[in-house]
Amino acid sequence: MNQAAHAPELPYCRNCHYTLATPRPVYCGHCGQETDLHPPSLREMFTEYLGHYVAFDGPLWRTLWALVCLPGQLTDAYFHGQRRRYVLPLRVYLSASFLFFVGSHLLSHEEPEPEPDKAAVQQPAAADKAVRVKVRPDMSPASAAAMAEALSRGASAADADKPSLSARIEGCTQAQAANCARSERWLNRLIGRLESMTREQFMTRMRALAPYGMLAMQPVFAALLLAMFAGSGRRYAEHFVFSLHSHSLWFLALLVATVTDLEGLMSLAVFGHGLLAMRRVYGLGWFGAIWRGLLLSVGYFVLLGLVALGLMATIAMTA
């Protein structure tokens, strides 16, 4: 059965028709294709497909050790031509991001936050807006109750007529929606969605979208490094390699923080690791590494917040 499944052996390569040597080699000496062809098993197909994008072979563990325990070693080794000893930077980055997204979904124990009860939210708000009536000594209880009810109806009518923040963009109220520009209507809907979210819901959504923002921020961080080290003679591609290794470590640290709830400790560890990596790769002293690290961190997290907010706006408006 297995013998029939194999393609018959030919004296030449099936891919480039190059005549094979004797004894028959495992790979063609001209194009590099395997000479022993057979229908692959499911395991072989999965390994071949995943191996093009994610590294799970022996050098990966050596690479992960250097990435975590030897700050800047991978980037420095890559610049000095050690390309076979460690996994290439892009594959390290894809492997780390793959481990994060799979591991965070499998190991995270966070429960989805329930939607707030609108009636329960509106009831305290209405109670807070209850009208207080100053009762005079000569006023009967029935008169005081009637006055309070009248004032309460007047306050409710005023609140109903008052447009919300989302309806006050350039005077674009619901009654005037036909006269509003598309961008104004989009902004009104976006602000309305944000107004309906509590602070806890907003922060939870931002933390959930931050890893996706990191995917978009990887080349941006390389551009920040290029601007920070302008005049050093390093090209963008070199900063890009450092950014790949840095984001690989950040994804692993974020996975640990997600599973263990040690966000503060992991943030300090990542910042210290980054300082050591910059000192090794860029040849900085402690003072130069610290002020550059602080400036890069501020710029990075500001841009990351904007990217995550943009993702949240896009998801909110398409939900």
Side-chain angles (χ1 to χ4, degrees):
M1 187 98 173
N2 292 335
Q3 192 70 21
H6 281 66
E9 292 187 356
L10 297 176
Y12 56 86
C13 173
R14 290 177 175 271
N15 180 57
C16 64
H17 298 280
Y18 182 80
T19 302
L20 300 175
T22 304
R24 188 181 185 87
V26 178
Y27 299 97
C28 173
H30 186 258
C31 68
Q33 178 176 283
E34 298 90 343
T35 59
D36 183 18
L37 300 178
H38 62 278
S41 64
L42 181 61
R43 180 173 179 271
E44 289 174 336
M45 289 182 61
F46 181 77
T47 303
E48 180 180 0
Y49 174 78
L50 201 61
H52 282 85
Y53 303 99
V54 182
F56 286 114
D57 47 6
L60 175 65
W61 309 113
R62 186 188 309 122
T63 303
L64 289 178
W65 171 261
L67 178 67
V68 176
C69 301
L70 303 173
Q73 168 67 22
L74 290 182
T75 308
D76 195 51
Y78 183 84
F79 289 162
H80 286 82
Q82 299 179 13
R83 310 292 172 85
R84 301 290 296 177
R85 178 174 178 80
Y86 300 106
V87 179
L88 293 177
L90 184 58
R91 295 187 70 193
V92 175
Y93 174 70
L94 293 175
S95 301
S97 59
F98 178 83
L99 287 175
F100 168 77
F101 285 107
V102 173
S104 60
H105 283 82
L106 294 178
L107 302 177
S108 177
H109 301 289
E110 292 185 1
E111 297 182 357
E113 186 177 355
E115 293 291 334
D117 188 358
K118 294 183 178 180
V121 173
Q122 294 175 356
Q123 185 175 359
D128 293 338
K129 295 181 180 179
V131 179
R132 297 182 179 179
V133 179
K134 184 177 181 181
V135 181
R136 298 192 304 271
D138 58 343
M139 183 180 295
S140 63
S143 299
M147 183 180 293
E149 183 178 357
L151 292 175
S152 178
R153 285 198 302 268
S156 300
D159 291 340
D161 294 336
K162 183 179 179 181
S164 64
L165 178 61
S166 60
R168 292 199 297 269
I169 304 299
E170 298 294 336
C172 186
T173 60
Q174 185 176 3
Q176 301 171 342
N179 300 326
C180 298
R182 178 181 296 181
S183 59
E184 293 175 341
R185 293 196 299 269
W186 182 87
L187 188 58
N188 277 334
R189 292 197 303 270
L190 175 60
I191 295 178
R193 295 287 181 91
L194 294 178
E195 285 179 337
S196 64
M197 297 174 61
T198 64
R199 183 180 181 277
E200 290 75 15
Q201 289 176 323
F202 180 82
M203 296 306 298
T204 301
R205 187 70 60 84
M206 289 291 286
R207 283 194 294 268
L209 292 175
Y212 299 94
M214 286 174 59
L215 293 174
M217 283 294 296
Q218 191 277 322
V220 177
F221 183 68
L224 292 176
L225 289 170
L226 180 64
M228 178 66 66
F229 294 98
S232 64
R234 292 185 180 272
R235 296 173 295 179
Y236 176 79
E238 297 177 86
H239 302 298
F240 192 84
V241 172
F242 184 80
S243 179
L244 286 173
H245 289 148
S246 299
H247 278 76
S248 301
L249 177 77
W250 297 347
F251 271 119
L252 297 179
L254 192 58
L255 176 60
V256 176
T258 302
V259 176
T260 61
D261 295 329
L262 298 176
E263 295 181 0
L265 181 60
M266 294 308 300
S267 299
L268 292 175
V270 165
F271 182 75
H273 190 283
L275 295 182
L276 293 174
M278 282 200 302
R279 291 194 69 213
R280 180 166 191 166
V281 174
Y282 294 100
L284 301 175
W286 278 111
F287 178 75
I290 290 174
W291 76 261
R292 284 180 173 85
L294 290 173
L295 191 58
L296 282 170
S297 299
V298 172
Y300 181 86
F301 283 109
V302 169
L303 294 176
L304 179 62
L306 293 176
V307 171
L309 189 60
L311 290 174
M312 186 171 66
T314 303
I315 294 175
M317 298 313 299
T318 56

